[in-house]
């Protein structure tokens, strides 16, 4: 049952559409490297396309009708979008669910220090990373600093040509005999992922630090001259004090734009494609829906990489609360209607799959692996070893989706995540399945998943978008 390469079916016009859609996506992941930046961009585009904020609708007591477009934001790091269908919401929704967080390094709350005339920021890695991949590469700093008066300073440093970048150093091979004997997971320790940020002291002025404040210990100005210089720069350029790190959310990510990959420009290489390569086409599919029968939903959540926990993760009650509010604005509210809405729904858990890599063929069972360029990937189950932690979709639901995809000429394939006993992974699918709804994982195949730079096929991105539109319209 080998699936055909999607590139082979395109006409010249269709191939142009593939490249145009992929270019929009490439620009998106270049600009949006954190969950906050993704949410901000999606909110902007949603409002441009007629979506109204749920809180305002509630405040104004506005009743909703079929075709109305609504969005709700969750702490600036997650969101849900709805297009009200012609059927009551309690009869079920068609849901696209993706996550917009990605593996990275987070700056600690008390991070700034100086050692041997070099200034560093301490980090704590987030999600499943190979720590050695993050050394000796240009890094950028993104995020927010919240002052005590609740004013917000947005940070993005290292993306423009005239901005500095940061890095984590590595040991030269001439002195790395002991290091090279270590296993890959011990090659560099988490506490050694210290970001290099400065080396230049400023001349002190009579026991004063470089920002002009008096230093009780006259030796301190000299001792911390590099750190104090960094603090002076932060104060001057960002209006930031050292204690503001306590209420900051700063993420270290690879610096630079996503790029076309290959002589044929058929692929995209960029940071954060797990899972923004599914989030973007899910969102764009919503923009192409008019008045569906079942209410269409796009759910974009945070914290999947660390277990979907917290107020902005899928385990929170955010989405369920939104559904309750939507029912209240479209019909007479009852708790039973909310439960029915959740149980009667269908969902595509839009998350990436591991693309078969011939360089590491031994990790895959080839005929059940996702292949580059062969379209949207359906994973009946994920989990690890004995399907532990998996949703494991029902065959009746898979049959329905096969029919929808074939009728809409969507290239698709099925896969599992590597060989049995090789490893495994999870998504948000099982969380929504707890309501009794029909759920399956579906997304885009990725090479070098969770690396600072990941690779996807433009054909797969486009087929995912087509598949998501088909699901919302026809499932």
């Amino acid at each position: 049952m080998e699936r055909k390469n999607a590139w082979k079916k395109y006409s010249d016009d269709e191939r142009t559409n593939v490249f145009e859609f992929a270019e929009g996506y490439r620009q998106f992941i270049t600009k949006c490297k954190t969950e906050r930046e993704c949410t901000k961009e999606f909110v902007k585009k949603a409002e441009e396309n007629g979506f109204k904020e749920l809180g305002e609708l509630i405040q104004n007591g506005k009743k909703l009708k079929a075709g109305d477009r609504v969005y709700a934001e969750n702490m600036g790091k997650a969101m849900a979008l709805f297009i009200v269908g012609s059927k009551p919401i309690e009869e079920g929704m068609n849901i696209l669910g993706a996550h917009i967080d990605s593996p990275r390094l987070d700056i600690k709350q008390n991070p700034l220090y100086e050692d041997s005339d070099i200034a560093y920021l301490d980090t704590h890695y987030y999600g499943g990373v190979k720590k050695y991949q993050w050394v000796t590469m240009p890094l950028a700093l993104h995020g927010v600093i919240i002052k005590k008066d609740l004013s917000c300073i947005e940070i993005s440093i290292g993306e423009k040509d005239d901005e500095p970048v940061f890095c984590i150093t590595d040991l030269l091979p001439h002195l790395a005999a002991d290091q090279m004997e270590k296993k890959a997971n011990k090659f560099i320790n988490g506490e050694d992922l210290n970001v290099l940020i400065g080396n230049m002291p400023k001349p002190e002025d009579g026991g004063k630090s470089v920002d002009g404040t008096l230093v009780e210990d006259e030796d301190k100005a000299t001792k911390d001259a590099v750190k104090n210089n960094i603090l002076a720069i932060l104060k001057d350029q960002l209006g930031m004090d050292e204690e503001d790190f306590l209420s900051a959310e700063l993420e270290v990510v690879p610096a630079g734009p996503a790029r076309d990959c290959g002589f044929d420009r058929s692929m995209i290489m960029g940071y954060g494609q797990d899972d923004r390569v599914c989030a973007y086409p899910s969102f764009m599919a919503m923009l192409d829906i008019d008045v569906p029968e079942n209410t269409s939903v796009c759910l974009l959540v945070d914290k999947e990489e660390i277990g979907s926990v917290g107020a902005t993760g899928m385990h929170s009650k955010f989405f369920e609360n939104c559904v309750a509010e939507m029912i209240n604005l479209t019909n007479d509210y009852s708790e039973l209607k909310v439960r029915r809405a959740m149980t009667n729904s269908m969902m595509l858990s839009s998350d990436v799959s591991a693309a078969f890599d011939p360089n590491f063929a031994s990790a895959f069972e080839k005929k059940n692996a996702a292949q580059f360029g062969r379209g949207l990937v359906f994973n009946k189950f994920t989990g690890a070893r004995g399907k532990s932690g998996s949703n494991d979709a029902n065959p009746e639901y898979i049959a329905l989706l096969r029919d929808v995809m074939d009728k809409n000429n969507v290239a698709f394939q099925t896969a599992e995540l590597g060989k049995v006993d090789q490893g495994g992974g999870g998504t948000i699918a099982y969380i929504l399945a707890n309501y009794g709804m029909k759920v399956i994982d579906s997304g885009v195949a990725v090479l070098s998943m969770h690396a600072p730079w990941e690779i996807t096929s433009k054909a797969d991105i486009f087929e995912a978008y087509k598949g998501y539109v088909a699901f919302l319209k026809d499932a």
Side-chain angles (χ1 to χ4, degrees):
M1 293 194 298
E2 185 171 333
R3 310 299 292 185
K4 294 181 180 179
N5 189 308
W7 288 107
K8 295 180 180 179
K9 71 173 183 174
Y10 297 138
S11 66
D12 289 343
D13 287 343
E14 288 171 328
R15 188 165 293 192
T16 297
N17 291 337
V18 171
F19 278 92
E20 287 180 350
F21 186 84
E23 177 59 20
Y25 165 68
R26 188 191 68 80
Q27 293 179 14
F28 168 76
I29 61 170
T30 291
K31 180 180 181 181
C32 301
K33 293 188 175 182
T34 71
E35 57 274 32
R36 285 181 181 270
E37 290 168 345
C38 290
T39 300
K40 184 177 181 179
E41 182 68 12
F42 283 140
V43 166
K44 176 185 174 184
K45 287 185 179 293
E47 291 179 342
E48 291 172 352
N49 284 272
F51 285 81
K52 305 298 183 182
E53 202 272 321
L54 178 60
E56 292 184 9
L57 297 175
I58 294 169
Q59 186 174 5
N60 295 332
K62 179 177 172 57
K63 285 294 183 180
L64 298 174
K65 63 183 184 304
D68 282 348
R69 298 179 166 212
V70 181
Y71 79 88
E73 188 180 351
N74 187 8
M75 299 184 179
K77 296 192 287 185
M79 66 183 301
L81 301 101
F82 299 83
I83 301 177
V84 180
S86 56
K87 294 181 179 180
I89 295 177
E90 58 263 33
E91 292 189 22
M93 303 165 283
N94 287 10
I95 305 168
L96 298 172
H99 67 92
I100 50 177
D101 61 316
S102 295
R104 60 179 189 258
L105 307 179
D106 285 341
I107 298 298
K108 292 184 179 182
Q109 288 185 284
N110 185 19
L112 180 58
Y113 71 98
E114 177 181 338
D115 190 342
S116 303
D117 296 331
I118 301 175
Y120 296 95
L121 290 176
D122 266 330
T123 70
H124 192 137
Y125 64 91
Y126 173 97
V129 303
K130 290 182 175 179
K131 297 186 287 291
Y132 64 82
Q133 293 179 331
W134 287 77
V135 301
T136 70
M137 66 181 305
L139 300 171
L141 191 63
H142 289 238
V144 295
I145 299 162
I146 308 300
K147 305 281 283 184
K148 286 193 292 185
D149 62 1
L150 298 186
S151 60
C152 176
I153 304 170
E154 295 186 356
I155 300 294
S156 176
I157 303 172
E159 301 295 351
K160 298 177 181 178
D161 289 342
D162 61 349
E163 290 178 340
V165 294
F166 313 97
C167 76
I168 299 166
T169 57
D170 195 10
L171 187 62
L172 67 163
H174 311 70
L175 301 178
D178 291 341
Q179 183 190 51
M180 299 299 287
E181 295 296 323
K182 296 180 180 180
K183 292 183 178 180
N185 65 344
K186 300 293 185 182
F187 197 80
I188 183 167
N189 295 319
E191 287 292 354
D192 294 332
L193 293 170
N194 306 312
V195 179
L196 179 66
I197 61 168
N199 171 236
M200 182 176 66
K202 244 184 176 182
E204 290 76 30
D205 182 13
K208 293 182 179 180
S209 68
V210 292
D211 62 358
T213 59
L214 289 173
V215 179
E216 292 182 6
D217 182 355
E218 293 185 2
D219 293 331
K220 184 174 176 56
T222 300
K223 179 182 176 182
D224 294 328
V226 177
K227 174 184 174 180
N228 286 336
N229 192 33
I230 296 297
L231 286 172
I233 292 170
L234 294 176
K235 184 70 172 179
D236 178 61
Q237 298 184 6
L238 303 175
M240 177 186 179
D241 299 314
E242 184 173 9
E243 286 206 352
D244 290 329
F245 279 113
L246 296 174
S247 53
E249 188 171 81
L250 299 174
E251 302 177 13
V252 178
V253 298
R259 302 288 296 273
D260 284 348
C261 183
F263 284 117
D264 55 4
R265 296 180 178 267
S266 62
M267 300 166 286
I268 289 179
M269 185 175 187
Y271 165 70
Q273 299 202 69
D274 176 8
D275 184 35
R276 292 163 195 149
V277 74
C278 297
Y280 180 84
S282 295
F283 176 85
M284 296 301 291
M286 287 287 286
L287 302 187
D288 285 348
I289 301 301
D290 189 13
V291 183
E293 285 191 11
N294 296 330
T295 292
S296 295
V297 180
C298 179
L299 182 58
L300 304 171
V301 297
D302 182 23
K303 297 293 189 290
E304 191 276 341
E305 297 294 355
I306 58 170
S308 297
V309 294
T312 54
M314 193 63 248
H315 277 298
S316 78
K317 298 296 184 181
F318 166 71
F319 179 56
E320 185 177 332
N321 292 343
C322 287
V323 172
E325 296 286 4
M326 290 293 294
I327 289 175
N328 192 49
L329 293 179
T330 56
N331 207 335
D332 294 328
Y333 172 82
S334 76
E335 176 66 21
L336 183 58
K337 288 180 180 179
V338 176
R339 294 188 183 190
R340 286 174 176 168
M342 302 299 281
T343 300
N344 293 332
S345 292
M346 295 182 289
M347 179 187 179
L348 296 185
S349 174
S350 305
D351 210 336
V352 295
S353 188
F356 177 78
D357 190 336
N359 288 322
F360 304 98
S362 63
F364 299 87
E365 197 266 286
K366 189 173 183 180
K367 69 180 183 300
N368 283 296
Q371 304 286 331
F372 240 36
R374 298 187 186 181
L376 178 63
V377 183
F378 288 101
N379 287 81
K380 184 179 186 297
F381 53 86
T382 53
R385 296 172 177 84
K387 299 185 180 180
S388 176
S390 174
N391 163 56
D392 208 353
N394 290 331
E396 293 86 353
Y397 183 40
I398 299 173
L400 182 152
L401 293 172
R402 286 176 55 203
D403 186 52
V404 169
M405 297 302 142
D406 285 343
K407 285 180 177 178
N408 287 274
N409 192 31
V410 176
F412 73 93
Q413 56 184 315
T414 60
E416 62 183 19
L417 191 61
K419 280 185 176 179
V420 177
D421 287 337
Q422 186 67 32
T427 66
I428 65 172
Y430 74 97
I431 304 170
L432 276 299
N434 287 336
Y435 291 99
M437 69 174 69
K438 302 178 181 71
V439 183
I440 191 171
D441 286 297
S442 68
V444 175
V446 177
L447 287 171
S448 303
M449 189 192 299
H450 279 217
W453 298 103
E454 300 166 313
I455 305 169
T456 54
S457 168
K458 293 181 178 180
D460 294 337
I461 300 169
F462 188 68
E463 293 299 323
Y465 158 74
K466 286 175 55 183
Y468 295 157
V469 171
F471 170 76
L472 294 177
K473 287 183 176 180
D474 297 336

